[in-house]
Amino acid sequence: SRPVLIDTDPGCDDAVALLAALEHASLEVVGLTTVHGNAPVEDTTRNARAILEAVDRTDVPVARGADRPLLVDLETSEYVHGGGGLRGDLPDPGPATEPGDVHAARRIVEQARAHDGDLALATIGPLTNVALAHAMEPALPELLDELIVMGGAAFASGNVTPLAEANFHSDPHAARRVVRDCEPTIVGLDVTARAAVPPERVDGLERDGPLGRSLYEWLTYYDADRLERYGIESAAIHDALVIAELIDDGVLETRSYPMEVAADGDLARGALVVDENGVTGAAENGEVAIEADYERYRELMSASLERVLER
Ligand code: BDR
Ligand code: CA
């Protein structure tokens, strides 16, 4: 199975993504690293640990990471994901998942070196830890098999500002560094906004024991306003699309482009700028998802829900 390290800020869609990864036989989750984002890092770390406990995966080590962006002020999104950054009332985690003293950025570098070119690093939160890891180890991109990033809004509008998606907007300087220098595969909002689990698959989950109730909360975390604004009938589970692609690399269609992230300036902060027409003459520095096989995504999600609930 494929070794994967996941950098995360749970987060309702993160929680679904983590369960999908933990429960799939083709992936070996070698660790979770946590970052500020949907909530302060103390909360996202607690949430990551509580998720591991909920599925008896306390063997997966957790490393806590950055508590703030590189340069801009911390902004969190409890208004979307619930108090503490995660709906669904998971019990407090016990000592087994206690993070040690190793910072997430160091853990990323250590794991990349240890797997010698085989590790997939999946990021589903702001990119602060990865930018720090790259500062510590400039060869990070070559040490990884793949860096796959949920972030940016490549050919569409953002969800925090008209131009920017939350993960890139939260730490635009980190996103800029990673996009420029780390050869990522970007899974942006324009494809993840349609990555939802249909209401008929979600209905009834709330009666499927405590974990079913949590899953129900995570899969329905958008309020009516948000659903209407995006013209969708159930919540976008952005982060799980990254995991679906790791499980089956036919889920996304990607294309290489020269690209940049706007870090400064009010209006463009965190905007992913894709040079579609090649006007900059710059070399391609990463891939961007341009389409997804949503039917396959929903199949993988359904199978994952079943496995989680069978526990
Ligand atoms: C991204 O931002 C967070 O709110 C979600 O967990 C996801 O990673 C979507 O813009
Ligand atoms: Ca996230």
Side-chain angles (χ1 to χ4, degrees):
S1 56
R2 187 173 190 201
V4 184
L5 181 64
I6 307 177
D7 190 74
T8 180
D9 63 336
C12 296
D13 56 328
D14 299 74
V16 177
L18 293 177
L19 292 184
L22 289 164
E23 293 291 320
H24 204 280
S26 70
L27 302 181
E28 182 204 354
V29 180
V30 299
L32 303 182
T33 52
T34 59
V35 64
H36 68 86
N38 291 319
V41 74
E42 292 73 34
D43 292 333
T44 60
T45 306
R46 179 236 170 240
N47 297 340
R49 295 171 54 203
I51 292 161
L52 291 175
E53 298 233 352
V55 289
D56 295 324
R57 289 301 306 273
T58 56
D59 57 301
V60 176
V62 178
R64 184 180 14 232
D67 62 1
R68 57 181 185 277
L70 296 178
L71 296 174
V72 298
D73 291 339
L74 176 70
E75 281 173 32
T76 56
S77 321
E78 289 91 345
Y79 65 100
V80 183
H81 293 266
L86 187 65
R87 297 171 202 284
D89 290 332
L90 290 182
D92 275 335
T97 52
E98 200 77 65
D101 290 336
V102 178
H103 191 280
R106 185 166 295 283
R107 178 63 55 78
I108 290 171
V109 172
E110 278 173 12
Q111 286 293 323
R113 287 183 185 145
H115 287 90
D116 203 17
D118 286 337
L119 184 71
L121 174 58
T123 74
I124 54 178
L127 285 160
T128 319
N129 290 335
V130 185
L132 292 171
H134 181 250
M136 288 163 64
E137 174 51 281
L140 182 68
E142 293 84 69
L143 292 173
L144 294 171
D145 178 37
E146 182 176 10
L147 168 60
I148 184 162
V149 169
M150 190 284 132
F155 306 105
S157 303
N159 56 356
V160 178
T161 72
L163 289 176
E165 174 279 335
N167 290 337
F168 279 23
H169 187 266
S170 290
D171 192 341
H173 300 89
R176 184 184 183 92
R177 180 176 190 131
V178 172
V179 167
R180 228 185 220 177
D181 297 326
C182 297
E183 298 155 39
T185 297
I186 305 278
V187 189
L189 201 69
D190 32 345
V191 290
T192 65
R194 285 176 285 153
V197 178
E200 58 272 19
R201 183 67 192 79
V202 177
D203 286 343
L205 275 181
E206 72 277 21
R207 291 188 294 278
D208 227 326
L211 195 51
R213 266 202 304 284
S214 301
L215 275 165
Y216 179 84
E217 293 289 329
W218 300 336
L219 291 165
T220 59
Y221 73 111
Y222 276 21
D223 60 20
D225 264 8
R226 202 162 273 267
L227 291 176
E228 196 186 325
R229 190 144 19 101
Y230 291 95
I232 47 184
E233 54 168 9
S234 49
I237 311 299
H238 307 279
D239 294 340
L241 191 58
V242 164
I243 303 302
E245 170 69 7
L246 288 173
I247 293 171
D248 176 350
D249 66 6
V251 168
L252 294 179
E253 190 187 330
T254 64
R255 204 171 281 169
S256 296
Y257 289 107
M259 49 189 169
E260 276 278 7
V261 174
D264 300 306
D266 304 339
L267 281 177
R269 168 180 157 172
L272 173 62
V273 180
V274 176
D275 182 9
E276 248 189 301
N277 296 331
V279 292
T280 59
E284 293 155 359
N285 53 332
E287 289 181 37
V288 177
I290 53 171
E291 196 36 92
D293 181 346
Y294 296 103
E295 210 174 295
R296 180 76 182 121
Y297 169 80
R298 286 190 290 270
E299 263 170 38
L300 288 168
M301 284 302 111
S302 263
S304 151
L305 292 180
E306 255 149 55
R307 274 194 302 272
V308 170
L309 291 170
E310 261 166 26
R311 305 186 55 87

